[in-house]
Amino acid sequence: MRDPSSSSATPPPRALLAGASGQIGRRVLARLLADGWQVTALSRQQHPAQAGVAWRQAALPDAGPGQGFDAVLSCGPLDLFSQWYAATATGRARVVAFGSTSVHVKGDSPDPHERDLARRLGQAEARLAQAARERGAAVAVLRPTLVYGAGLDRNLSRIVALARRYGGVALPHDARGLRQPVHVDDLADAALAALALPGTGDGRARGYDLPGGETLDYRQMVARVLATLAPPRRLWILPGPVFAMAAASARLLGLHDAGAAVLARLRQDLVFDDAPARRDLGYAARPFQPTAAMFQPPLQEPALPATCR
């Protein structure tokens, strides 16, 4: 850990952090501050003053200037960040940006919106790499699997919310697709490790898939989540045709927005190799041992006093 008071002659390193108020960005921000960085944090909302942080109210891709930083990090949408990066002078600052393993699995989805997402993620990675080469900067793209742990995800936390409301959730009997849920703290650790990679300014673009430390099937994963609740909620296992009718009815009623492609993936294995991340980043993700607190949304931040607005 850096000690910013250790030398009055050496200023602390400076980082620009996009998506600082998101589920991963919050944890990355905390680690940067603990490591002695001065952070300019981007968020669409206003935030109270915080030691070591200069909040900049902005939304990608119009995030303002990028000069004067030792590192630029993005925990927001990769396509929007890549547009800002390609159009904004940042010098040779190291870049660490979060993408998604969806770039691997949704390119041939029957859902055109999912295919478009995979296309945009691939284009964003290529755009970052090209801009980095032109600047002689190093880029690391981190691709998480199914993220949990901060109560802000749109997967397991949404399942918990449905279970609390209706007493349980239903799955088809063959929802056995393999998953590797990854905790936000492991992702934040990987981001800080990526900042320390050798070869800053070498113009290289590296990509790392970041799965969780345990592989289990979808039914096991959901059952383990429901068991954390008090009282535990039920997991109803339905025959395929019955589940399809129930899911369609629930969608019409506005109880969920999962389309046919999402439901089909319950049966698909989504497993990724973390060997490159273990080799380069010392990545060691934890096994899936959820608690109820991991799916509880954080408290709202206090409003800024009128004098600070």
Side-chain angles (χ1 to χ4, degrees), residues 51-93:
V53 183
W55 286 98
R56 181 190 296 176
Q57 191 171 2
L60 292 170
D62 301 315
Q67 287 280 26
F69 297 98
D70 301 287
V72 178
L73 302 95
S74 172
C75 302
L78 185 64
D79 56 342
L80 298 181
F81 172 73
S82 70
Q83 293 171 29
W84 172 84
Y85 181 72
T88 306
T90 60
R92 299 176 68 179

Side-chain angles (χ1 to χ4, degrees), residues 50-273:
Q50 184 177 354
V53 183
W55 286 98
R56 181 190 296 176
Q57 191 171 2
L60 292 170
D62 301 315
Q67 287 280 26
F69 297 98
D70 301 287
V72 178
L73 302 95
S74 172
C75 302
L78 185 64
D79 56 342
L80 298 181
F81 172 73
S82 70
Q83 293 171 29
W84 172 84
Y85 181 72
T88 306
T90 60
R92 299 176 68 179
R94 176 180 289 277
V95 175
V96 177
F98 280 91
S100 172
T101 50
S102 293
V103 71
H104 301 313
V105 300
K106 294 183 178 178
D108 57 355
S109 169
D111 186 327
H113 299 291
E114 292 189 345
R115 294 197 303 273
D116 181 63
L117 171 63
R119 178 188 60 80
R120 288 187 286 110
L121 286 168
Q123 289 178 341
E125 290 194 17
R127 189 181 296 121
L128 283 176
Q130 176 62 32
R133 282 193 296 270
E134 293 171 355
R135 300 171 197 190
V139 172
V141 176
L142 309 180
R143 309 184 194 101
T145 54
L146 192 155
V147 182
Y148 73 98
L152 294 171
D153 64 278
R154 294 172 56 85
N155 294 292
L156 295 180
S157 291
R158 179 172 290 186
I159 289 173
V160 167
L162 289 172
R164 290 186 189 278
R165 183 173 181 180
Y166 299 107
V169 294
L171 290 176
H173 71 93
D174 56 351
R176 295 292 193 180
L178 297 179
R179 295 295 186 271
Q180 298 167 308
V182 59
H183 196 280
V184 288
D185 283 338
D186 295 328
L187 299 177
D189 290 341
L192 269 290
L195 284 181
L197 281 171
T200 298
D202 62 3
R204 291 183 58 193
R206 302 176 174 92
Y208 299 97
D209 294 338
L210 300 181
E214 182 177 359
T215 301
L216 66 169
D217 72 43
Y218 201 93
R219 275 175 53 175
Q220 289 176 308
M221 179 180 69
V222 172
R224 204 175 290 184
V225 169
L226 298 182
T228 69
L229 304 180
R233 279 17 178 221
R234 297 188 61 186
L235 176 58
W236 299 299
I237 304 301
L238 304 179
V242 175
F243 175 80
M245 289 188 293
S249 298
R251 184 177 174 87
L252 287 174
L253 292 172
L255 303 182
H256 72 86
D257 58 1
V262 173
L263 298 178
R265 271 197 301 279
L266 300 180
R267 306 166 177 87
Q268 179 184 358
D269 293 343
L270 303 180
V271 178
F272 304 91
D273 182 14

